[in-house]
């Protein structure tokens, strides 16, 4: 008999896993990482590819069918295509995707595609090098753009750009990003800045809300028409440009939380299962893996994480407590 699916106390089935393969990164986005002196997880504490594969195989047996590989920057993890190839062998997975900052994509796009990766999200907050350096504290916009085009050539037909818009920093990039996405037939999504920056400086005044970004795009391109939701649990609300040239989405985690349809679990690079980006509770898969546990025990760990899931993240409430980990330590 198949094991019961991962349904929580609020009736939400869990079918999606965010898989962080590293907390390391080749840039230092100010909304994510510390600017300097980053304390990375020692390599021996990171899950090996074999351990990751085992955890995902167990999760897939519990109804997880979508996996997104992330980090830190996943492309800095040595030999990543091999992990992708192994994950692609898991029959129950219907969707295998990856989120990257794109800096190493030109070199790796071909091997990732050949390994079985189907979808890519590439983060792009600006089309100006000076702004890129202000946000990520490192140079490299040209490499990100090369990465996007290399991914196209490698045969990725589902490429989405993720942009995070911040007051006073890249507001002027909203319309050029819209133009770029339309010109190159790429889907674009704007994500609201969440209180997960390592510096702990987040305040709501910095957040450029989805509704504001949408108004600015409508002023430049004309009305945006709502698209029907493809997947009931998708966090983004999608729109089409009225002239039919492209699609744009908004992930309004702060202004319009979507916790009531959350279907996600997370596995950190050092093997902690998390049931919410904003929670502090973790379920330690690594200790089980390294202590000789069987698959049933791992499955029970997933069930415990799902059973303990809260109704929502509560960013908008007065008693909200920021998670101890920053975004790069969880996996965005
Ligand atoms: N390094 C890869 C990248 O940047 O695409 C993958 C990991 S990154 C943590 C995944 C996504 O999280 C990126 O699109 C990034 O913009 C987003 N992100 C990081 N910090 C964030 C924050 N505080 N609020 C909202 N999104 C954030
Ligand atoms: Fe690195 Fe991605 Fe975090 Fe930027 S958002 S610092 S690219 S992990």
């Amino acid at each position: 008999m198949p094991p019961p699916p991962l349904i929580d106390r609020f009736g939400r089935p869990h079918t999606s896993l965010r898989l962080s393969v590293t907390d390391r990164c080749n840039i230092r986005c100010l909304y994510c990482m510390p600017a300097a002196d980053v304390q990375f997880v020692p390599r021996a504490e990171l899950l090996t590819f074999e351990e990751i594969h085992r955890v995902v195989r167990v999760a897939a047996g519990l109804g997880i069918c979508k996996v997104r590989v992330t980090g830190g920057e996943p492309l800095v993890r040595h030999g990543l295509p091999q992990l992708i190839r192994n994950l692609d062998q898991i029959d129950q997975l219907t969707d295998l995707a990856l989120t990257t900052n794109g800096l190493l994509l030109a070199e790796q796009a071909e091997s990732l595609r050949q390994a079985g990766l189907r979808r890519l999200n590439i983060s792009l907050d600006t089309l100006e090098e000076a702004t890129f350096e202000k946000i990520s504290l490192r140079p490299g916009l040209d490499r990100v753009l090369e990465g996007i085009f290399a991914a196209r050539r490698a045969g990725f037909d589902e490429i989405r750009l993720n942009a995070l818009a911040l007051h006073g920093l890249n507001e002027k990039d909203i319309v050029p990003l819209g133009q770029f996405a339309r010109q190159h037939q790429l889907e674009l999504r704007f994500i609201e800045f969440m209180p997960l920056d390592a510096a702990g400086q987040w305040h709501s005044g910095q957040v450029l809300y989805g509704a504001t970004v949408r108004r600015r795009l409508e002023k430049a391109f004309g009305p945006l028409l709502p698209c029907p939701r493809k997947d009931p649990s998708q966090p983004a609300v999608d729109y089409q440009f009225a002239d039919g040239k492209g699609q744009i989405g908004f992930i309004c985690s702060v202004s319009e939380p979507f916790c009531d349809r959350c279907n996600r679990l997370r596995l950190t690079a050092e093997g902690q299962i998390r049931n919410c980006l904003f929670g502090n509770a973790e379920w330690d898969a690594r200790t089980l893996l390294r202590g000789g546990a069987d698959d049933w025990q791992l499955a029970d760990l997933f069930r415990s994480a799902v059973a303990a899931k809260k109704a929502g993240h509560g960013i908008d409430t007065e008693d909200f407590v920021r998670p101890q980990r920053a975004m790069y330590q969880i996996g965005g």
Side-chain angles (χ1 to χ4, degrees):
M1 213 172 70
L6 297 168
I7 297 181
D8 73 4
R9 291 176 291 155
F10 307 97
R12 297 171 296 195
H14 286 69
T15 53
S16 170
L17 181 69
R18 292 267 166 153
L19 184 68
S20 174
V21 293
T22 182
D23 60 340
R24 285 162 203 259
C25 188
N26 40 6
I27 55 177
R28 296 285 181 273
C29 303
L30 46 82
Y31 45 69
C32 177
M33 280 209 146
D37 304 324
V38 193
Q39 297 297 309
F40 292 114
V41 172
R43 284 184 199 280
E45 290 177 22
L46 296 179
L47 291 194
T48 63
F49 285 172
E50 290 72 24
E51 288 168 334
I52 293 174
H53 180 264
R54 185 172 166 211
V55 177
V56 177
R57 182 175 50 70
V58 168
L62 295 167
I64 295 290
C65 57
K66 298 173 94 173
V67 168
R68 176 171 294 280
V69 176
T70 183
E73 172 48 39
L75 301 193
V76 304
R77 177 94 189 234
H78 188 66
L80 189 71
Q82 187 56 49
L83 176 69
I84 299 290
R85 192 166 292 112
N86 296 345
L87 295 177
D88 192 45
Q89 307 288 311
I90 300 177
D91 282 346
Q92 298 98 322
L93 295 190
T94 54
D95 187 17
L96 183 57
L98 177 135
T99 302
T100 173
N101 63 26
L103 281 159
L104 297 173
L105 195 54
E107 296 103 273
Q108 297 191 31
E110 188 80 45
S111 49
L112 288 166
R113 185 72 191 90
Q114 278 172 12
L117 189 67
R118 285 158 231 173
R119 292 201 301 117
L120 270 180
N121 280 10
I122 305 172
S123 300
L124 182 71
D125 301 333
T126 177
L127 291 165
E128 281 184 9
E129 177 64 23
T131 312
F132 184 90
E133 289 183 31
K134 262 191 213 159
I135 295 175
S136 58
L137 312 184
R138 299 281 189 280
L141 175 64
D142 51 343
R143 289 166 68 201
V144 178
L145 297 176
E146 267 173 46
I148 295 172
F149 299 125
R152 261 285 167 71
R153 286 195 300 277
F156 284 99
D157 40 23
E158 284 197 59
I159 302 176
R160 185 185 290 143
L161 303 178
N162 278 350
L164 200 147
L166 294 158
H167 258 306
L169 203 57
N170 60 342
E171 291 183 63
K172 63 182 181 330
D173 289 285
I174 293 171
V175 171
L177 282 169
Q179 250 151 5
F180 180 83
R182 277 159 63 83
Q183 183 188 350
H184 298 287
Q185 287 144 36
L186 298 161
E187 198 182 327
L188 175 62
R189 273 191 182 169
F190 283 94
I191 307 172
E192 286 179 351
F193 177 28
M194 299 180 271
L196 291 165
D197 56 315
Q201 308 270 304
W202 181 93
H203 62 85
S204 58
Q206 295 167 303
V207 184
L208 210 50
Y209 292 109
T212 311
V213 175
R214 201 177 60 182
R215 275 196 299 278
R216 295 205 188 164
L217 289 164
E218 288 193 315
K219 216 167 151 192
F221 301 108
L224 290 171
L225 313 174
C227 298
R229 202 177 278 284
K230 278 188 225 135
D231 169 357
S233 56
Q234 74 176 49
V237 181
D238 291 327
Y239 293 82
Q240 250 192 346
F241 290 101
D243 62 5
K245 287 192 189 147
Q247 187 168 309
I248 199 140
F250 300 91
I251 302 191
C252 303
S253 330
V254 179
S255 62
E256 293 166 46
F258 37 83
C259 302
D260 58 344
R261 51 178 198 277
C262 180
N263 67 343
R264 288 185 189 173
L265 292 169
R266 294 186 141 78
L267 183 70
T268 68
E270 76 268 51
Q272 305 299 310
I273 297 169
R274 294 174 64 98
N275 63 15
C276 178
L277 197 45
F278 296 96
N280 275 314
E282 297 186 338
W283 286 261
D284 185 357
R286 190 184 64 207
T287 298
L288 285 190
L289 287 162
R290 296 187 182 173
D294 63 22
D295 287 355
W296 283 102
Q297 287 168 289
L298 278 170
D300 273 344
L301 200 67
F302 273 105
R303 289 195 194 93
S304 304
V306 169
K309 185 148 169 158
K310 293 186 181 154
H313 60 47
I315 296 179
D316 43 354
T317 61
E318 282 199 354
D319 52 357
F320 173 69
V321 183
R322 276 182 61 109
Q324 280 146 15
R325 287 178 186 257
M327 189 63 123
Y328 74 103
Q329 297 168 307
I330 302 172

